[in-house]
Amino acid sequence: MVKQTIQIYARVKPLARRQQAGIYSVEEDEKSASSLEIIVPRDLADGFVNNKRESYKFKFQKIFDQEAKQDAVFESIAKPVAECALAGYNGTIFAYGQTGSGKTFTITGGAERYSDRGIIPRTLSYIFQQLEKDSSKVYTTHVSYLEIYNECGYDLLDPRHEASRLEDLPKVTIMEDPDQNIHLKNLSLQQATNEGDALNLLFLGDTNRMIAETPMNQASTRSHCIFTIHISSKEPGSATVRRSKLHLVDLAGSERVAKTGVGGQLLTEAKYINLSLHYLEQVIIALAEKNRSHIPYRNSMMTSVLRDSLGGNCMTTMIATLSLDKRNIDESISTCRFAQRVALIKNEAVLNEEIDSRLMIIQLKKVIQELKDELAMVTGEQRTEELTPEELLQLDELIKRFLEDPDPESMLDIGADMRKIKHCFSYIKQLINHTNIPDRSLLSPDIAGDNDTNTPEKKEELKKLRDLLHQRDNEINILVSMLKKEKKKAQDALFQLSAGSSGLAVSESSLSISLEEGRRPSACINVKDTQDFSSSVYRSAFLPRQTGLGEKMSLGRQEAFEIFKRDYVDTVTIEDNKQLLKQRFAEAKSLGEKINEVRNKINHLKGERTQRHMQRAALGVASPSEELHESDPVEETLRAQIEEEKKSYKTMFNRLKVLKIEIEHLQLLMEKAKVKLQKDFEVWWSEEALNLQDQQKKLPVSNSASALRASPQSLESQQHLYTNSFSGTNTSGVNPSEDPGRKNNLSRLSNSASAARTSQSSSSSIPLTGDSQTDADILAFMKARQNLMQKKGLGNK
Ligand code: ADP
Ligand code: MG
C-alpha cells in the first residue's frame, strides 16, 4: 500500500509579451518543492486604500513555467503515474483551471505539432513501450473515453456513430453495486493491443468530442473528459491478476460566475459556472477535514466517477493550469487555492490483485500432476486415486496379522500412504461395529454386554462360579501342604510299621437276633440297622438345618477332611468309643446267638415234655392205675431243665437289653464327636484359607486362589458337609463300623495321580516339590480341579 497526498503541479500558459509584467514569480526550491508567488499589480488596487495584500505564495510539487515543454511535463508528472499503473496501482492525473488556461493542451496536446502532443498520447506511447519491454507478464490494455456534460455521461469511443450532436452519443449511467463500487453502464472498453490502436481510439474520442461541441453547449469549457487506460497483468502460469486504471482527466473550466473585475470582489470566492466543480470542491474540503465521515461524492457524476481518485485507492496528481495575465489573476489565485486544498488529501493506493478462480483451478491441477509425477519418481510406483484390490487384500492381511499378534509392542507398518492409513481406520471401525466378532469382550467390556451374559441371573451365576473356583483353588493349596506333611508321615510310618493292618474288620451283616416269645419282643435289636442308626430318630437331634440336599463336599475338601480327621485330637476318644462299640456289638452278637440257642433248647425241652405228657396220658387210658397220679420224674426233669434254660435266657436277654442301651449311647457319643470333628474341621479350614491368602498377598506371584474369603458360599458348604457326613451309606463320612485308618488316602490319591501324571496340568501356580510321589498327588488334584472347571464351563485362569 502506498500512502501519499495528492501531488499538485502548476503550469503557466505562455503569455504574450505585453502581459508579462511582474505578475508572478516562480521560486525553485532545493528541496524539490517550488513556490509560486502571485503579485497583485498596484494599478489593480486603484482607488482603494492600500491595505490589501500584494502578493500570494502557493507551494507546488513543481511549477512548469511558460517555456516548459510537453515532454518535460510528461516526464515529471505523467511518467511516475504511468509506472504505478503498470505496477498495478490506480492513477489519476487531472488538469484544473479556467477555460483557456491550457488544460486540454496539457492533457491531450496541441493540434498542430507532434511535439505538442500531450499527456495522453505520451502516456499511451510510454505504456506500450513498457509492455513490449516486459515479457515476464501478460498484459491486456483497454481504453475508455467518457465525457460528462450537465451530469450526463457520453461514451466518446462509440465507433458506430459519427456523432453530430453530443446527445447522439451513447449515454453512460452510473451503477452502484452492494459494495458501493461504481460501474459505468454503456461505457465501452476498447481493447488496444498497441500504441497505434490506442491513439486511433484517442483520436476517435477527440473527434466525437469536437463534433459534438456546439456554440450552444460549449462542451469544451463546460464538460469533463475522462480518458482511462485499463491495464491488467499477470505472470504466466499465475492465477493472480493485477488490474489498474489510469484516469487522465480534462476538467471543465473552473471560472466563476461573479467575476466583477478587480477591486472589492477580487479575492472573494465566486460561484463556479459548472456546478459539478462546486461539488468537487465540496468533496475536496470534506476530504481535507479530519473526522469527516461523509464525503459527498454522489452529488455529481464527475465526483462519483473519480471517487477512488479523490481520497481513495489511487495515486492522484493535479495539474493546476494558470493563465497568469492581469485579467486572470483572481481566477489564478482561486485555482492555486484549490490546489492547496487538494494537496491536503491523503490517498491510499493498494495493489489491485485478485485471484482468478478459473486460473487457480488450472494451476492447482498442474501442481497436483507435478506432485504425482514426483511421487511416482521417488517411490517408483504409480499412485492412482484408489487402492487396487490386490493392495487392499494385502493391507487387510497385514491388519489381521497385527490384530492377532499377542505382542503388545507389535507395529502395523503400512508406510506413509494416506490412502492406506485411512483404510486401516475404516477396517478397525468396521471390526468394532460388526456383530461377528469372536470375542467382543476382548475389545471392550461395554460392547461385549449383550442380553446373554448381561442378565442379573447370569452375572450372579458367574460370580458364584468364580467364588467356587477360588474356593477350590484354595482347597487344592491347603491339600498340597497337607499332602507334603502326610507324605512325610507315611514314609516315617513305613519304617516302623510293616504289619500295619489291624484286622479289625467286622462283618455284621449276618448278625440278626430275632427273639420270639410268642410275639415279637419289644427289646428287639436288628444289628444290621445300627449302620443306619443315625438316620433314625436320633439323628435329627444332632443335625443342623438340612438344606441343599444332594450337594456333595468337594473332592479337595473331602480329602482334606479325611486327613484332618486322622490328626484330630479327639480321634483317640472316638476310636476308643468305636472299639468299645465294636466289642459291644460283638458281645451282643454272641449273646444273641446264645439266646437263640437257649431259645431253641427251651423249645426242644418243651417238645420233649409235651411228648412225655402225651405218652403218659395214653398209658393211663390203657391201664388206669394209681401211678398216673404220681409225678413223672422224667417230666419233672424236663420241667426243671426248661426252667433252668428260661432263667439263662432271661439273664442273657437282660444283658442284651443293657447292651442295646450301651450301644445306642455309644452311637450318640460318636455322632456328637463327629459333629465336633466337622465343626473343628471347618474352623481349621477357613483359618488355613486365610493364612494362605495372606501368604499369597506377600508373594509377587499371582495365584488364582488369592481372592478367597470366608464367603457365605463356603458357609453354606459347611452345612452340606454336616449333612453329608450323616447321610449314611453312600458317603465317605465316618461310620461307627468303619475304621478311618483303613482308608489310605495317600495310596488312593497316588492311584489317581498315575493316570494324571502324563497329562499336562502345570498351568496352576502350585509349586511342585520335586518329590515324584508328592508331585503326582499334586497333579491329581490339579486334574480334579481342571475337571471341575470344565464342568462349570470356566476356562483355566
Ligand atoms: P483549456 O482547455 O484550458 O480551455 P486550451 O488547452 O484549449 O485551454 O488552450 C487554449 C489555447 O492556448 C490553445 O490554443 C492552446 O494551443 C494554447 N496553449 C495552451 N497552453 C499552451 C502551452 N503551454 N504552449 C503553447 N500553447 C498553449
Ligand atoms: Mg479545454
mmCIF file of all heavy atoms in Angstrom, residues 121 145 198-208:
data_model
loop_
_atom_site.group_PDB
_atom_site.id
_atom_site.type_symbol
_atom_site.label_atom_id
_atom_site.label_comp_id
_atom_site.label_asym_id
_atom_site.label_seq_id
_atom_site.Cartn_x
_atom_site.Cartn_y
_atom_site.Cartn_z
ATOM 1 N N PRO A 121 -1.361 10.967 -25.238
ATOM 2 C CA PRO A 121 -0.597 10.194 -26.229
ATOM 3 C C PRO A 121 0.782 9.784 -25.741
ATOM 4 O O PRO A 121 1.268 8.693 -26.069
ATOM 5 C CB PRO A 121 -0.491 11.147 -27.417
ATOM 6 C CG PRO A 121 -0.830 12.481 -26.924
ATOM 7 C CD PRO A 121 -1.708 12.283 -25.727
ATOM 8 N N TYR A 145 -13.336 6.366 -22.976
ATOM 9 C CA TYR A 145 -13.289 7.840 -23.067
ATOM 10 C C TYR A 145 -14.688 8.354 -22.747
ATOM 11 O O TYR A 145 -15.633 8.121 -23.488
ATOM 12 C CB TYR A 145 -12.859 8.249 -24.465
ATOM 13 C CG TYR A 145 -12.142 9.579 -24.556
ATOM 14 C CD1 TYR A 145 -11.543 9.993 -25.760
ATOM 15 C CD2 TYR A 145 -12.081 10.445 -23.481
ATOM 16 C CE1 TYR A 145 -10.887 11.204 -25.871
ATOM 17 C CE2 TYR A 145 -11.424 11.650 -23.576
ATOM 18 C CZ TYR A 145 -10.828 12.031 -24.769
ATOM 19 O OH TYR A 145 -10.187 13.262 -24.881
ATOM 20 N N ALA A 198 -4.432 2.416 -29.692
ATOM 21 C CA ALA A 198 -4.825 3.310 -28.609
ATOM 22 C C ALA A 198 -4.942 4.746 -29.103
ATOM 23 O O ALA A 198 -5.881 5.467 -28.751
ATOM 24 C CB ALA A 198 -3.814 3.213 -27.481
ATOM 25 N N LEU A 199 -4.014 5.163 -29.950
ATOM 26 C CA LEU A 199 -4.045 6.534 -30.459
ATOM 27 C C LEU A 199 -5.250 6.750 -31.365
ATOM 28 O O LEU A 199 -5.896 7.789 -31.312
ATOM 29 C CB LEU A 199 -2.756 6.837 -31.217
ATOM 30 C CG LEU A 199 -1.556 7.176 -30.336
ATOM 31 C CD1 LEU A 199 -0.288 7.347 -31.178
ATOM 32 C CD2 LEU A 199 -1.789 8.454 -29.517
ATOM 33 N N ASN A 200 -5.531 5.724 -32.168
ATOM 34 C CA ASN A 200 -6.723 5.817 -33.011
ATOM 35 C C ASN A 200 -7.960 6.043 -32.172
ATOM 36 O O ASN A 200 -8.830 6.846 -32.518
ATOM 37 C CB ASN A 200 -6.889 4.547 -33.851
ATOM 38 C CG ASN A 200 -5.979 4.549 -35.061
ATOM 39 O OD1 ASN A 200 -5.573 5.618 -35.553
ATOM 40 N ND2 ASN A 200 -5.616 3.373 -35.533
ATOM 41 N N LEU A 201 -8.020 5.286 -31.085
ATOM 42 C CA LEU A 201 -9.181 5.423 -30.202
ATOM 43 C C LEU A 201 -9.221 6.817 -29.584
ATOM 44 O O LEU A 201 -10.281 7.435 -29.467
ATOM 45 C CB LEU A 201 -9.137 4.346 -29.110
ATOM 46 C CG LEU A 201 -9.439 2.917 -29.582
ATOM 47 C CD1 LEU A 201 -9.005 1.888 -28.555
ATOM 48 C CD2 LEU A 201 -10.930 2.756 -29.916
ATOM 49 N N LEU A 202 -8.043 7.304 -29.217
ATOM 50 C CA LEU A 202 -7.982 8.658 -28.634
ATOM 51 C C LEU A 202 -8.507 9.689 -29.637
ATOM 52 O O LEU A 202 -9.314 10.572 -29.288
ATOM 53 C CB LEU A 202 -6.549 8.987 -28.238
ATOM 54 C CG LEU A 202 -6.270 10.437 -27.788
ATOM 55 C CD1 LEU A 202 -7.037 10.769 -26.504
ATOM 56 C CD2 LEU A 202 -4.781 10.679 -27.587
ATOM 57 N N PHE A 203 -8.074 9.523 -30.878
ATOM 58 C CA PHE A 203 -8.499 10.490 -31.880
ATOM 59 C C PHE A 203 -9.968 10.362 -32.232
ATOM 60 O O PHE A 203 -10.648 11.340 -32.483
ATOM 61 C CB PHE A 203 -7.626 10.368 -33.132
ATOM 62 C CG PHE A 203 -6.340 11.119 -32.985
ATOM 63 C CD1 PHE A 203 -5.198 10.519 -32.488
ATOM 64 C CD2 PHE A 203 -6.298 12.491 -33.340
ATOM 65 C CE1 PHE A 203 -4.018 11.239 -32.329
ATOM 66 C CE2 PHE A 203 -5.107 13.206 -33.187
ATOM 67 C CZ PHE A 203 -3.962 12.587 -32.672
ATOM 68 N N LEU A 204 -10.443 9.098 -32.153
ATOM 69 C CA LEU A 204 -11.883 8.885 -32.367
ATOM 70 C C LEU A 204 -12.675 9.660 -31.327
ATOM 71 O O LEU A 204 -13.641 10.384 -31.643
ATOM 72 C CB LEU A 204 -12.198 7.393 -32.314
ATOM 73 C CG LEU A 204 -13.673 6.992 -32.318
ATOM 74 C CD1 LEU A 204 -14.315 7.310 -33.681
ATOM 75 C CD2 LEU A 204 -13.844 5.526 -31.982
ATOM 76 N N GLY A 205 -12.237 9.491 -30.068
ATOM 77 C CA GLY A 205 -12.932 10.181 -28.999
ATOM 78 C C GLY A 205 -12.851 11.682 -29.119
ATOM 79 O O GLY A 205 -13.845 12.381 -28.903
ATOM 80 N N ASP A 206 -11.632 12.155 -29.455
ATOM 81 C CA ASP A 206 -11.455 13.595 -29.581
ATOM 82 C C ASP A 206 -12.306 14.166 -30.720
ATOM 83 O O ASP A 206 -12.859 15.259 -30.620
ATOM 84 C CB ASP A 206 -9.980 13.911 -29.816
ATOM 85 C CG ASP A 206 -9.197 13.956 -28.520
ATOM 86 O OD1 ASP A 206 -9.842 14.150 -27.443
ATOM 87 O OD2 ASP A 206 -7.964 13.771 -28.542
ATOM 88 N N THR A 207 -12.393 13.373 -31.770
ATOM 89 C CA THR A 207 -13.203 13.804 -32.906
ATOM 90 C C THR A 207 -14.665 13.908 -32.506
ATOM 91 O O THR A 207 -15.349 14.902 -32.773
ATOM 92 C CB THR A 207 -13.043 12.800 -34.066
ATOM 93 O OG1 THR A 207 -11.667 12.612 -34.359
ATOM 94 C CG2 THR A 207 -13.782 13.294 -35.322
ATOM 95 N N ASN A 208 -15.136 12.841 -31.844
ATOM 96 C CA ASN A 208 -16.522 12.852 -31.362
ATOM 97 C C ASN A 208 -16.758 14.052 -30.442
ATOM 98 O O ASN A 208 -17.798 14.700 -30.495
ATOM 99 C CB ASN A 208 -16.838 11.554 -30.603
ATOM 100 C CG ASN A 208 -17.141 10.395 -31.547
ATOM 101 O OD1 ASN A 208 -17.572 10.597 -32.691
ATOM 102 N ND2 ASN A 208 -16.895 9.177 -31.062
#
